């Protein structure tokens, strides 16, 4: 998961992308999402941002972008 590039992310089927986002966040805390409230709403908010970012930055890390957005989500949910 941590080595997934944006090109790899964009090649994923649409049904897999939300799972990638959820498991990326979970992998940072040994399988548990960083927030107890991280759910479908967070994934739905993060996915379009990652999609847009990855279309422009194909060689960048999709994992890193997901993590940046999940941290931003945690800050706005507090």
């Amino acid at each position: 998961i941590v080595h997934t590039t944006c090109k790899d992310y964009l090649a994923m089927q649409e049904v897999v992308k939300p799972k990638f986002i959820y498991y990326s966040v979970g992998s940072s805390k040994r399988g548990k999402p960083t927030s107890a409230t991280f759910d479908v709403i967070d994934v739905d908010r993060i996915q379009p941002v990652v999609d847009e970012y990855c279309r422009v930055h194909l060689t960048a890390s999709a994992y890193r972008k997901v993590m940046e957005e999940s941290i931003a989500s945690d800050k706005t949910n507090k």
Side-chain angles (χ1 to χ4, degrees), residues 42-75:
D42 293 314
V43 172
D44 288 346
R45 187 192 62 74
I46 292 171
Q47 185 175 347
V49 175
V50 176
D51 286 348
E52 183 178 331
Y53 174 82
C54 282
R55 278 190 224 104
V56 176
H57 304 92
L58 292 175
T59 59
S61 171
Y63 173 81
R64 181 173 293 146
K65 185 62 178 173
V66 168
M67 297 310 299
E68 288 173 5
E69 292 302 316
S70 71
I71 290 168
S73 176
D74 281 348
K75 289 179 182 176

Side-chain angles (χ1 to χ4, degrees), residues 8-57:
D8 298 332
Y9 172 81
L10 292 173
M12 292 177 189
Q13 295 178 351
E14 288 302 313
V15 297
V16 176
K17 289 179 181 179
K19 294 175 185 176
F20 168 78
I21 292 168
Y22 184 82
Y23 287 111
S24 293
V25 173
S27 72
S28 70
K29 294 292 183 184
R30 296 191 176 129
K32 297 178 184 170
T34 55
S35 169
T37 60
F38 188 84
D39 58 11
V40 174
I41 294 169
D42 293 314
V43 172
D44 288 346
R45 187 192 62 74
I46 292 171
Q47 185 175 347
V49 175
V50 176
D51 286 348
E52 183 178 331
Y53 174 82
C54 282
R55 278 190 224 104
V56 176
H57 304 92

